[in-house]
């Protein structure tokens, strides 16, 4: 529950600090006195966007601080999820700096507005007049039915399953899109792959083929060079080897005379052996050299095939072509892999859909079982509120579509008087009737969902007299098990509160200021009497005020 609210430098408020109790708290004041400022300030604490124009003194920061006792709310897991420090007495603070920057804190730990909004959903339900229109919302109507049927855990299971169902649907759609794209490219990729496979490419093959091609293409020229080189080395009279042999013989004689020439002899011996070996190899190459036009053509065809593939794939080596071949092989085989993935996801999707249908049917059954009881309870609550003949006909239609909260579509019909046909509430119920219906709904929600705090902002608009008294009694009854705030203009409602605050506005040095004050018993009598008779308080109004308070 909200135990304390401090507001500094906000709108018409200089500074105020208020302590609250549980049960029903009443807030009254003239129109325009500043009652809405309290709601706006609480809205900031609950994560509403800040407006720099709300600073009373634009040179000072605005600070709004709310204290909540949450010991019995079981919010430890929520605080952990939001990465906040849990305290039984939690303090939420909002600061708006003159620069326009806004800061938020929970138990002095900085946090985000999104976190405040999530936390606020578990702390306070602020019901303003326009929110009566929520009664027309199918989502709101189903939420009431689910709260009444205690479907919280079942609905949570359904929504988790629905999330999985949507995830598998997205996966399946993506895989089928990939399959479609792969199928379009399959034939072309298979053709490209076949070309590369047929080419029977091998790494480093290109250089060897190019070398063989050059030799075979120039057999006569190569043969002439080999023959001439062999002749120069091996001619019996003038060949280099013959002459080198003579030189070697002379140096050998020198080495026999002096060892200093031994090294020269050894070097000449090595050169002679090497040149003889070269001559033998030249002769061998010459003997093996044969003109082979057929082999030349085969090598030429293989090279042209390699060059064409390199040009086609915009690469310059066989190794790059082999990489492309491997990639194409994976793509061609990938179509089968995608098909296997699709089959697996389709099975998961079908299993999830079956589970969803079971949960949706269970939701439908539990909802259907409580419709008459819910209608009767609302009818009984609003009968004393001047609606003795009001009736509800809540209908559920089971759809084929998975919705966010099941497969039910709700149709909430209303008849306000005897003999009146049922029709949609938004067409058949007046504003005053809607306010009373909403109060009854909030009363049921408060009991079933155990909301900690509800603020009613003039929910009694459009009613008066005995009906207003009965509405006040309902709010008083709700205050027995939760904290209720009622902003009201009706004395009958105001008299039901355990606490009564008055918001007033006054001018001081050409500056308008709003204040909020906790009224004593005597001040309450005066305030309620004024609400009954206006500024001219009569003895009869004072007596009536005392009777209402008693």
């Amino acid at each position: 529950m909200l135990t304390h609210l401090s507001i500094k430098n906000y709108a018409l408020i200089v500074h105020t600090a208020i302590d609250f109790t549980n049960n029903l708290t009443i807030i009254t004041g003239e129109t325009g006195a500043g009652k809405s400022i309290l709601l706006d300030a609480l809205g900031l604490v609950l994560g509403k966007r800040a407006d720099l124009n709300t600073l009373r003194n634009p040179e000072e920061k605005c600070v709004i601080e709310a204290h909540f006792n949450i010991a019995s709310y079981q919010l430890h897991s929520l605080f952990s999820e939001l990465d906040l420090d849990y305290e039984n007495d939690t303090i939420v603070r909002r600061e708006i700096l003159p620069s326009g920057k806004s800061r938020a804190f929970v138990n002095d730990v900085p946090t985000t507005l999104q976190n405040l909004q999530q936390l606020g959903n578990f702390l306070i339900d602020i019901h303003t007049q326009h929110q009566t229109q929520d009664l027309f919302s199918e989502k709101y109507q189903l939420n009431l039915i689910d709260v009444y049927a205690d479907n919280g855990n079942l609905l949570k299971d359904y929504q988790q399953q629905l999330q999985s169902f949507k995830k598998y649907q997205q996966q399946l759609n993506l895989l089928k899109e990939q399959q479609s794209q792969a199928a379009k490219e399959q034939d072309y990729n298979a053709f490209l792959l076949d070309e590369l496979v047929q080419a029977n490419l091998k790494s480093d093959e290109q250089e060897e083929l190019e070398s063989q091609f050059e030799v075979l293409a120039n057999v006569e020229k190569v043969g002439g060079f080999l023959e001439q080189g062999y002749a120069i080395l091996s001619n019996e009279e003038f060949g280099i080897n013959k002459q080198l042999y003579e030189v070697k013989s002379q140096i050998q004689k020198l080495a026999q005379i002096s060892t200093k020439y031994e090294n020269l002899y050894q070097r000449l011996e090595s050169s002679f052996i090497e040149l003889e070996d070269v001559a033998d190899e030249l002769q061998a190459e010459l003997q093996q050299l044969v003109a082979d036009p057929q082999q030349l053509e085969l090598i030429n065809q293989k090279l042209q095939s390699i060059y064409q593939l390199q040009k086609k794939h915009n690469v310059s080596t066989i190794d790059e072509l082999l990489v492309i071949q491997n990639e194409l092989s994976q793509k061609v085989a990938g179509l089968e892999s995608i098909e296997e993935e699709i089959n697996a996801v389709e099975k998961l999707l079908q299993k999830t859909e079956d589970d969803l249908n079971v949960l949706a049917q269970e939701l439908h059954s539990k909802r259907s079982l409580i419709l008459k009881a819910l209608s009767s309870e609302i009818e009984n609550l609003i009968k004393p509120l001047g609606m003795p003949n009001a009736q509800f006909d809540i209908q559920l239609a089971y759809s084929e579509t998975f919705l966010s909260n099941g497969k039910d579509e709700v149709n909430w019909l209303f008849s306000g008087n005897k003999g009146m046909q049922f029709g949609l509430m938004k067409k058949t119920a007046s504003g005053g009737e809607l306010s009373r219906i909403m109060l009854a709904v909030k009363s049921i929600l408060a009991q079933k969902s155990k909301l900690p705090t509800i603020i009613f902002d003039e929910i009694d608009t459009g009613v008066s007299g005995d009906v207003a008294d009965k509405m006040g009694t309902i709010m008083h009854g709700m205050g027995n098990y939760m904290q209720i705030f009622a902003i009201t203009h009706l004395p009958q409602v105001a008299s039901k509160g355990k606490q009564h605050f008055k918001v007033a506005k006054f001018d001081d040095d050409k500056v308008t200021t709003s204040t909020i004050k906790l009224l004593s018993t005597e001040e309450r009598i005066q305030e309620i009497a004024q609400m009954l008779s206006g500024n001219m308080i009569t003895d009869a109004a004072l007596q009536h005020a005392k009777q209402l308070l008693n």
Side-chain angles (χ1 to χ4, degrees):
M1 57 173 273
L2 177 64
T3 59
H4 177 83
L5 180 65
S6 172
I7 305 172
K8 180 181 178 182
N9 193 37
Y10 181 72
L12 299 179
I13 296 176
V14 178
H15 181 251
T16 190
I18 321 159
D19 293 318
F20 299 109
T21 63
N22 55 4
N23 303 112
L24 174 61
T25 295
I26 299 297
I27 300 174
T28 60
E30 297 292 334
T31 300
K35 298 187 295 298
S36 62
I37 294 175
L38 291 175
L39 295 182
D40 292 340
L42 276 172
L44 287 175
V45 167
L46 301 177
K48 180 183 174 183
R49 292 287 176 185
D51 185 352
L52 188 59
N53 294 328
T54 57
L55 296 182
R56 178 181 176 85
N57 182 348
E59 297 181 359
E60 297 181 5
K61 72 177 179 180
C62 162
V63 181
I64 300 169
E65 187 173 281
H67 296 208
F68 297 91
N69 185 308
I70 60 172
S72 60
Y73 297 172
Q74 299 179 342
L75 296 180
H76 292 81
S77 59
L78 177 65
F79 272 69
S80 176
E81 180 184 332
L82 300 179
D83 197 23
L84 298 173
D85 291 340
Y86 176 87
E87 297 287 347
N88 285 338
D89 293 308
T90 284
I91 300 174
V92 182
R93 185 171 76 255
R94 192 74 188 278
E95 297 180 357
I96 308 171
L97 306 180
S99 63
K101 185 178 179 181
S102 169
R103 300 187 298 189
F105 303 86
V106 175
N107 295 326
D108 289 325
V109 176
T111 190
T112 64
L113 294 189
Q114 185 178 3
N115 282 353
L116 282 192
Q117 291 165 5
Q118 291 190 58
L119 180 60
N121 291 333
F122 293 87
L123 299 179
I124 297 180
D125 175 18
I126 299 179
H127 177 82
T128 58
Q129 293 181 50
H130 77 272
Q131 286 179 312
T132 301
Q133 306 299 313
D134 288 344
L135 283 171
F136 307 147
S137 163
E138 188 171 335
K139 183 178 179 181
Y140 189 87
Q141 293 168 358
L142 272 176
N143 178 62
L144 172 61
I145 293 170
D146 284 328
V147 169
Y148 198 83
D150 194 22
N151 283 340
N153 290 332
L154 182 58
L155 193 60
K156 184 177 180 181
D157 291 342
Y158 171 86
Q159 289 171 340
Q160 287 177 342
Q161 201 73 2
L162 180 62
Q163 189 174 6
S164 297
F165 179 75
K166 290 181 177 179
K167 181 188 74 174
Y168 292 139
Q169 276 188 322
Q170 290 176 346
Q171 276 185 265
L172 185 60
N173 291 336
L174 181 61
L175 284 170
K176 286 187 174 180
E177 185 178 335
Q178 290 176 349
Q179 183 187 45
S180 175
Q181 187 65 30
K184 291 178 183 177
E185 299 173 354
Q186 178 76 352
D187 290 343
Y188 183 59
N189 287 337
F191 170 74
L192 293 177
L193 176 61
D194 185 62
E195 275 188 327
L196 290 167
V197 171
Q198 293 299 323
N200 193 24
L201 300 172
K202 296 180 180 61
S203 183
D204 299 328
E205 178 184 27
Q206 186 174 350
E207 291 182 5
E208 183 180 349
L209 289 172
E210 287 174 340
S211 176
Q212 290 179 11
F213 178 82
E214 289 299 325
V215 171
L216 289 173
N218 297 276
V219 169
E220 293 183 3
K221 188 183 293 185
V222 171
F225 290 148
L226 289 172
E227 188 174 1
Q228 187 176 1
Y230 178 75
I232 292 172
L233 284 173
S234 303
N235 186 276
E236 291 184 1
E237 294 184 14
F238 305 106
I240 291 175
N241 283 348
K242 175 69 174 176
Q243 296 181 44
L244 185 59
Y245 178 81
E246 294 296 334
V247 173
K248 185 186 71 160
S249 298
Q250 296 303 318
I251 300 302
Q252 184 179 24
K253 294 175 183 177
L254 282 174
Q256 291 173 353
I257 296 173
S258 174
T259 57
K260 66 181 288 188
Y261 301 110
E262 181 67 28
N263 184 48
L264 282 174
Y265 172 74
Q266 293 296 332
R267 288 169 63 188
L268 282 169
E269 177 68 18
S270 296
S271 297
F272 179 74
I273 294 171
E274 179 67 19
L275 283 176
E276 278 195 323
D277 187 59
V278 170
D280 291 341
E281 196 165 328
L282 286 174
Q283 187 180 34
E285 288 289 336
L286 186 59
Q287 290 172 349
Q288 292 175 9
L289 185 63
V290 178
D292 190 345
Q294 187 175 359
Q295 179 66 12
L296 177 63
E297 180 59 26
L298 289 174
I299 292 174
N300 182 52
Q301 289 177 358
K302 183 66 180 285
L303 283 173
Q304 292 306 314
S305 173
I306 291 172
Y307 296 151
Q308 288 172 2
L309 288 170
Q310 288 173 341
K311 183 177 181 181
K312 188 171 192 175
H313 293 282
N314 197 27
V315 296
S316 57
T317 67
I318 287 182
D319 286 341
E320 289 173 305
L321 286 176
L322 290 172
V323 169
I324 293 171
Q325 180 177 327
N326 183 55
E327 290 174 350
L328 287 169
S329 178
Q330 291 178 1
K331 286 181 180 180
V332 170
L335 194 60
E336 295 179 6
S337 175
I338 292 175
E339 184 67 34
E340 292 174 1
E341 286 187 67
I342 287 175
N343 291 336
V345 174
E346 282 179 335
K347 289 179 181 178
L348 288 171
L349 185 63
Q350 185 59 55
K351 173 66 167 57
T352 309
E353 183 176 359
D354 293 342
D355 292 342
L356 262 182
N357 276 316
V358 171
L359 292 169
Q361 184 60 54
E362 191 174 349
L363 277 169
H364 178 75
S365 298
K366 290 189 69 176
R367 288 165 175 169
S368 299
L369 285 173
I370 58 87
L371 292 182
K372 288 185 178 180
L374 175 59
S375 299
S376 296
E377 186 164 349
I378 298 174
E379 289 166 4
N380 290 332
L381 283 170
I382 62 176
K383 276 181 182 177
L385 304 181
M387 301 174 67
N389 300 310
Q391 290 181 295
F392 295 90
D393 181 16
I394 307 175
Q395 302 172 349
L396 289 179
Y398 199 69
S399 73
E400 295 300 318
T401 306
F402 290 119
L403 306 173
S404 63
N405 47 12
K407 298 182 79 171
D408 289 318
E409 295 175 347
V410 64
N411 198 16
W412 199 321
L413 304 179
F414 170 73
S415 171
N417 299 287
K418 285 184 178 180
M420 178 183 291
Q421 291 185 342
F422 283 98
L424 295 174
M425 271 196 298
K426 62 182 177 182
K427 294 184 177 180
T428 57
S430 66
E433 288 173 329
L434 287 173
S435 294
R436 284 170 269 178
I437 295 170
M438 178 56 88
L439 179 60
V441 166
K442 287 287 185 179
S443 176
I444 293 171
L445 285 173
Q447 292 182 59
K448 296 289 185 178
S449 61
K450 295 180 173 56
L451 290 171
T453 299
I454 294 181
I455 299 177
F456 290 119
D457 183 15
E458 300 184 13
I459 195 173
D460 47 24
T461 298
V463 300
S464 59
D466 186 57
V467 172
D469 186 71
K470 295 293 194 303
M471 290 185 74
T473 300
I474 290 176
M475 284 187 266
H476 179 78
M478 292 171 67
N480 289 330
Y481 45 84
M482 66 179 302
Q483 186 182 42
I484 300 290
F485 289 85
I487 298 174
T488 183
H489 288 291
L490 299 181
Q492 296 90 339
V493 175
S495 66
K496 306 296 183 184
K498 183 176 181 180
Q499 276 187 319
H500 188 156
F501 290 90
K502 181 175 181 178
V503 180
K505 184 171 66 175
F506 64 90
D507 295 331
D508 182 19
D509 294 331
K510 299 181 181 180
V511 178
T512 301
T513 301
S514 284
T515 61
I516 182 167
K517 179 184 178 183
L518 176 63
L519 300 182
S520 65
T521 301
E522 187 59 35
E523 288 170 331
R524 286 192 74 182
I525 294 172
Q526 292 289 325
E527 174 68 7
I528 292 174
Q530 186 175 359
M531 294 171 74
L532 287 164
S533 64
N535 291 329
M536 297 296 293
I537 300 176
T538 63
D539 290 339
L542 288 170
Q543 289 301 317
H544 192 188
K546 291 177 182 178
Q547 290 175 357
L548 288 173
L549 285 170
N550 291 330

